Amino acid sequence: KDSNWLSPLAMARLIGSLEQNCVGVRRKHALRMNILEDKDFRQTHHEQLLKCLENAGMTGDACGDECCDDDDDDGEEGEEAVEAEEDEQPENDAEPSQPASAEISEEEAKESAKEDDDEEAEYSVDELAEFFSNFASPLTTGTDDEWDDVITPMDGTAHYSTLTKMNHDCAPNIIVLYKTRGWGSNHPLVAFCVALKDIAPGEELTISYIKTDQSYNERQAALSNYGFLCECNKCTDELKNPKAGDSDEKNDLKQEEDDLFGSDSESEKPEEKNDNVDDLFGSDDEDDEDKNGDNDGNAEGEDAENDVDGETKLKNALERFEEDFNKSTTASIPLQYLAPASTHVIKICSSVLNETTTTNHKGKTDDSIVRIREHLSKCIAAVRERHFVDCLRVGISLESLLYQELQSKGSWSAMWYRHAYWCACISAAIGYAHECSFLLAMQYLDKAMIMGQERKSPVLNGLISYVEHFAYEMAAAPCPPSIEASVIDVKEHEETLQSLGLSQPIQFPTAVTSTKNFDDFVKSLGSQSEPIVIRRFANDWEAISKWRNLRNLARAHGHRLVPIEVGSMDTGMKEKLVSFRTFVTSYLAPSTQSVCTSLKQATDPTSSIAYLAQHPLLDQIPALYQDVPHQPYGLKPTNVNIWMGTGGTRTPLHFDSYDNIFVQLVGAKYVRLYDKSETSKLYVSKESKYGLQGNMSAVNCEREDFKKHPEAKTANYTEVLLLPGDALFIPARCWHYVRSLSTSISVNYWF
């Protein structure tokens, strides 16, 4: 009731547009895959399947005498039996009288015949499996195969704002497809428009509302339901020259459709006609004799095939069809994006294979490395041969294998693991992108980037941008997400932050610059050796106001994967990969309900704390650079990281090897800083759970144990409360500790 777009007038307009702009949709029934792949399903619904086949005219009386192969197989034996029976007849011509006990009534004879018919119609589950294995094209998406007779397809209408703007043409330049695999199974009503020919700039996009291989009169009759007379070039030419439509060229469109995702192999065998589709148990003996005759060479193979049960035949048929259907060498990914990405994968995989052996440092065979190497070899073959389904399968399997290795050991022991992980993710993304599962492809590319794959790489940027473009279009929601997550303007609650958020009042404030010329200030940072606060540094950045509305961020980028740390530095943190939408809804949104988070809450083991820490989110999602400048005031950073989390996140005392400008965008943070000259008093930890680089302190700021670390009590420090728009310059090797006092977003620039 509070939404303008749900007003009665808006809904009336929406319904009206739907009624006037819709297209017919025919989808294969989902039950067909259950029937083919699930034996238990066929057993459970055996009677219903028999009824469907009978209604389709494939069993029972409707299929005639050719439905049962048993009669054919016993044909010769039956004839011999009849002859033997005739030989046993009395030589006299008199008809022998039947004994009284053999006399049966006419009703009993009909009942017996009915029982015989029922017995013949009781086809077993295995026999039905064999029948389904003989279907000519069991998984096709066309409308003229046997499945439409067995399982009625689902018809309906759908509205596509772009598609419905395309007018009809009997020689269209666009065909509309509905994917049935991968992307299609998750998004069955997404229309996939494919160009049938080169389309010049400014040329109108057209589709056909009808079958285009019909005659002029048939097409006009079919179009009469649409309320217009077609005057396209094809119809105009055929009207002037009626014989023009009778040429072989009228099938060109169908041929183009068939070739869209076909094979480019050097020799393609013509499809063999299957005459046995309606014959549940085989074909006529005479035909078999004509075809096989004296061909004894095939006898052994045929006997072996006949010995196989129906379930095995169906499984083999599915595997063959799956292989033929999926081994597409015609990529739907533009070649200018696919080629460099494929070359990159082959090159990196080959490098890893050359670098590794199957033995570990102890000289023993390492089974995990053996499996990884096998996957890498398969990955190279799949990408090189453009076997896109194998790209998908091998990529998913290799990514899972490497990620399990990372989780089980805590880290990868060598850099080649990371390189192999990149290849696995890119291979899976290629497979998903080929079938237009762009959301899933984007997830795997996100995984690669999260693990360090550089997006700016010229060999990958094209593929990533291509997938990203369509993933965002598919993820666009028609309605706002049902979450409320908006961070308050903490500038209006500074007193609350000072009294409740800080563990104690600021005693040693960090120096604040008075300059308003930020360009000159940034240029002078090279000679700056002490921390300094720059107030209002980012006041005019878009992110200051826009990113407070986490709901809009989740709506725009909710499908992207991000790495977060769940927990605290006191209780331990667990790393997770989640969608940005999950991060917002499960963690950030609840955190926005509080004005500030105290130190007590930040250290409470029951608090729900999550942090997207030191992550190059802007490089992963370049669209965010529209709100945050990449090079503020002429700064040329080497790395740009986003810090986004709930209230109560704490970053332990540490130093970085780069100069740093830390900018607060949303919420508030408390920062404590120690000069590098105080290092001897800060108990540098070489066994820190946060890393072994020697840049971590064992001192727990704001909760110091001075009995354990007495020197820390005499260490001098400065401190600052950062509000939105404020920036803090942190020199290289300057120790700093950070705690968020509310739901917070920051960006830092290392240079």
Side-chain angles (χ1 to χ4, degrees):
K1 64 181 181 180
D2 298 326
S3 301
N4 293 331
W5 68 275
L6 278 177
S7 65
L9 179 58
M11 289 302 296
R13 288 173 176 168
L14 177 62
I15 293 171
S17 67
L18 289 173
E19 290 176 344
Q20 297 177 27
N21 299 284
C22 59
V23 294
V25 177
R26 164 161 287 196
R27 300 294 295 156
K28 291 297 180 185
H29 204 292
L31 281 178
R32 63 197 175 102
M33 291 308 299
N34 296 89
I35 295 171
L36 287 172
E37 296 179 341
D38 192 341
K39 179 180 179 180
D40 293 337
F41 183 90
R42 292 195 298 276
Q43 289 177 332
T44 303
H45 301 283
H46 184 65
E47 296 299 325
Q48 292 96 320
L49 283 175
L50 287 175
K51 188 66 176 177
C52 289
L53 292 172
E54 182 179 344
N55 292 339
M58 296 181 182
T59 62
D61 296 337
C63 68
D65 296 328
E66 297 180 358
C67 279
C68 188
D69 200 22
D70 294 342
D71 294 339
D72 297 333
D73 292 340
D74 297 337
E76 294 181 1
E77 295 180 5
E79 292 175 3
E80 292 175 0
V82 171
E83 291 176 0
E85 188 175 340
E86 290 176 351
D87 291 341
E88 295 174 3
Q89 293 291 333
E91 294 184 359
N92 58 8
D93 295 331
E95 183 175 348
S97 58
Q98 297 183 5
S101 60
E103 292 181 359
I104 57 176
S105 66
E106 183 177 349
E107 291 184 1
E108 290 175 334
K110 290 181 179 179
E111 184 66 26
S112 177
K114 183 176 184 301
E115 291 177 358
D116 291 341
D117 291 340
D118 291 342
E119 185 175 351
E120 290 178 1
E122 287 297 324
Y123 307 127
S124 69
V125 173
D126 190 70
E127 288 169 336
L128 285 185
E130 181 175 354
F131 170 62
F132 289 131
S133 72
N134 290 326
F135 262 45
S137 32
L139 300 177
T140 56
T141 57
T143 57
D144 297 326
D145 61 57
E146 295 78 15
W147 279 112
D148 286 357
D149 298 323
V150 179
I151 303 293
T152 303
M154 296 178 288
D155 293 344
T157 57
H159 178 265
Y160 302 84
S161 59
T162 300
L163 177 59
T164 52
K165 296 185 179 77
M166 298 182 189
N167 289 321
H168 166 80
D169 196 300
C170 291
N173 52 23
I174 292 290
I175 183 174
V176 181
L177 304 175
Y178 299 93
K179 294 287 187 176
T180 59
R181 308 186 66 77
W183 169 43
S185 62
N186 296 324
H187 308 276
L189 293 182
V190 175
F192 185 56
C193 298
V194 180
L196 291 170
K197 60 189 72 174
D198 289 338
I199 303 174
E203 181 180 351
E204 181 184 4
L205 303 183
T206 59
I207 58 176
S208 178
Y209 301 168
I210 59 173
K211 291 184 177 181
T212 59
D213 56 352
Q214 299 174 321
S215 68
Y216 171 83
N217 290 332
E218 289 172 329
R219 296 200 308 273
Q220 295 296 349
L223 289 169
S224 62
N225 292 328
Y226 293 90
F228 68 90
L229 181 68
C230 182
E231 297 180 348
C232 68
N233 291 337
K234 181 176 181 179
C235 289
T236 302
D237 293 343
E238 291 183 16
L239 189 60
K240 295 178 180 178
N241 182 14
K243 294 184 179 181
D246 297 331
S247 67
D248 293 336
E249 294 180 357
K250 70 180 182 179
N251 291 319
D252 283 351
L253 177 60
K254 174 130 181 28
Q255 184 63 40
E256 290 177 18
E257 294 175 14
D258 295 338
D259 291 343
L260 274 176
F261 301 101
S263 171
D264 62 358
S265 57
E266 295 180 0
S267 60
E268 295 185 0
K269 296 181 180 179
E271 183 180 353
E272 296 181 2
K273 183 178 179 182
N274 188 347
D275 295 324
N276 303 332
V277 173
D278 293 342
D279 187 349
L280 191 55
F281 302 106
S283 59
D284 193 286
D285 267 357
E286 294 180 2
D287 292 338
D288 291 341
E289 290 179 6
D290 292 340
K291 293 177 181 178
N292 301 327
D294 300 326
N295 190 5
D296 297 333
N298 295 330
E300 184 176 348
E302 291 174 358
D303 291 341
E305 178 69 19
N306 291 333
D307 290 339
V308 177
D309 60 75
E311 287 294 333
T312 303
K313 287 182 179 179
L314 177 55
K315 180 180 178 181
N316 293 339
L318 282 173
E319 289 178 352
R320 288 194 300 270
F321 188 87
E322 184 85 1
E323 181 70 15
D324 294 339
F325 184 83
N326 288 322
K327 190 170 183 179
S328 173
T329 56
T330 304
S332 60
I333 306 171
L335 187 60
Q336 65 265 37
Y337 308 139
L338 174 64
S342 299
T343 302
H344 177 72
V345 170
I346 294 171
K347 181 180 178 180
I348 299 299
C349 285
S350 300
S351 176
V352 172
L353 288 173
N354 292 332
E355 180 184 345
T356 60
T357 62
T358 57
T359 57
N360 57 25
H361 64 283
K362 296 181 180 180
K364 296 183 179 180
T365 300
D366 190 322
D367 292 337
S368 66
I369 296 180
V370 171
R371 291 194 298 272
I372 292 171
R373 285 175 58 86
E374 290 174 350
H375 278 74
L376 288 170
S377 297
K378 292 179 181 178
C379 189
I380 291 174
V383 172
R384 178 174 287 149
E385 297 172 10
R386 293 188 294 170
H387 195 318
F388 296 106
V389 171
D390 274 1
C391 288
L392 180 59
R393 292 171 177 167
V394 176
I396 291 175
S397 179
L398 179 57
E399 186 275 337
S400 176
L401 188 63
L402 289 164
Y403 194 70
Q404 289 174 8
E405 182 84 4
L406 176 63
Q407 287 187 313
S408 63
K409 297 182 179 180
S411 63
W412 286 318
S413 59
M415 189 63 185
W416 67 260
Y417 282 98
R418 189 177 298 274
H419 294 163
Y421 187 85
W422 296 347
C423 291
C425 292
I426 296 168
S427 177
I430 288 174
Y432 274 128
H434 169 71
E435 64 179 25
C436 300
S437 300
F438 294 111
L439 290 172
L440 295 173
M442 193 71 256
Q443 286 185 5
Y444 275 88
L445 291 175
D446 278 338
K447 288 181 179 181
M449 289 186 281
I450 289 168
M451 290 299 181
Q453 173 62 65
E454 187 179 357
R455 178 189 175 127
K456 298 176 183 177
S457 168
V459 295
L460 291 179
N461 188 50
L463 175 66
I464 296 174
S465 298
Y466 168 77
V467 171
E468 188 175 57
H469 171 77
F470 289 105
Y472 272 88
E473 288 196 353
M474 293 177 66
C479 305
S482 57
I483 58 172
E484 292 296 334
S486 183
V487 183
I488 63 171
D489 185 356
V490 294
K491 290 182 178 180
E492 299 177 358
H493 301 272
E494 188 172 354
E495 291 185 5
T496 302
L497 294 172
Q498 295 275 4
S499 59
L500 299 179
L502 296 178
S503 57
Q504 60 183 13
I506 299 290
Q507 299 179 38
F508 311 104
T510 305
V512 179
T513 180
S514 59
T515 183
K516 296 182 180 179
N517 190 333
F518 298 133
D519 293 280
D520 290 342
F521 178 79
V522 168
K523 292 178 183 178
S524 68
L525 287 178
S527 58
Q528 183 72 29
S529 59
E530 295 183 356
I532 190 165
V533 177
I534 314 108
R535 299 293 185 189
R536 299 176 297 280
F537 181 81
N539 272 11
D540 59 347
W541 293 7
E542 292 288 337
I544 299 296
S545 57
K546 287 176 64 175
W547 289 16
R548 282 178 50 212
N549 191 332
L550 298 174
R551 180 191 191 192
N552 288 344
L553 280 178
R555 181 179 184 182
H557 310 289
H559 61 287
R560 303 301 295 269
L561 285 185
V562 293
I564 65 171
E565 300 169 352
V566 179
S568 70
M569 57 181 279
D570 298 290
T571 61
M573 294 182 290
K574 181 180 179 181
E575 296 180 345
K576 297 174 65 175
L577 284 181
V578 299
S579 70
F580 185 70
R581 180 177 293 107
T582 297
F583 180 41
V584 171
T585 56
S586 299
Y587 299 101
L588 300 186
S591 176
T592 61
Q593 303 303 311
S594 301
V595 174
C596 72
T597 304
S598 66
L599 177 63
K600 181 179 180 180
Q601 292 172 314
T603 55
D604 185 345
T606 63
S607 295
S608 179
I609 297 175
Y611 208 6
L612 187 157
Q614 194 178 312
H615 178 59
L617 185 66
L618 302 179
D619 292 329
Q620 181 187 348
I621 309 176
L624 295 176
Y625 272 123
Q626 297 175 5
D627 304 328
V628 177
H630 185 218
Q631 298 180 337
Y633 305 108
L635 185 71
K636 299 187 182 302
T638 57
N639 299 86
V640 182
N641 297 309
I642 289 293
W643 306 74
M644 180 183 301
T646 62
T649 62
R650 300 173 72 212
T651 302
L653 186 60
H654 71 286
F655 72 79
D656 301 310
S657 300
Y658 305 93
D659 285 339
N660 181 8
I661 289 185
F662 186 86
V663 184
Q664 189 65 17
L665 301 175
V666 174
K669 278 184 174 172
Y670 166 76
V671 184
R672 181 183 292 186
L673 305 111
Y674 294 83
D675 188 78
K676 61 183 178 181
S677 62
E678 304 291 325
T679 300
S680 61
K681 303 176 184 179
L682 298 179
Y683 299 87
V684 177
S685 174
K686 296 182 179 179
E687 299 180 356
S688 172
K689 58 187 175 181
Y690 296 101
L692 305 177
Q693 298 91 343
N695 67 331
M696 306 295 297
S697 169
V699 176
N700 188 353
C701 291
E702 293 191 283
R703 303 188 73 194
E704 297 89 348
D705 184 349
F706 291 125
K707 290 183 178 180
K708 187 175 181 180
H709 305 122
E711 293 293 326
K713 191 171 185 178
T714 63
N716 295 316
Y717 65 85
T718 63
E719 54 193 339
V720 62
L721 174 62
L722 294 178
L723 300 177
D726 293 342
L728 171 65
F729 170 69
I730 306 174
R733 307 190 70 83
C734 174
W735 294 87
H736 50 284
Y737 156 83
V738 184
R739 175 168 65 91
S740 62
L741 307 187
S742 68
T743 306
S744 171
I745 306 176
S746 314
V747 59
N748 86 281
Y749 300 85
W750 280 331
F751 61 98

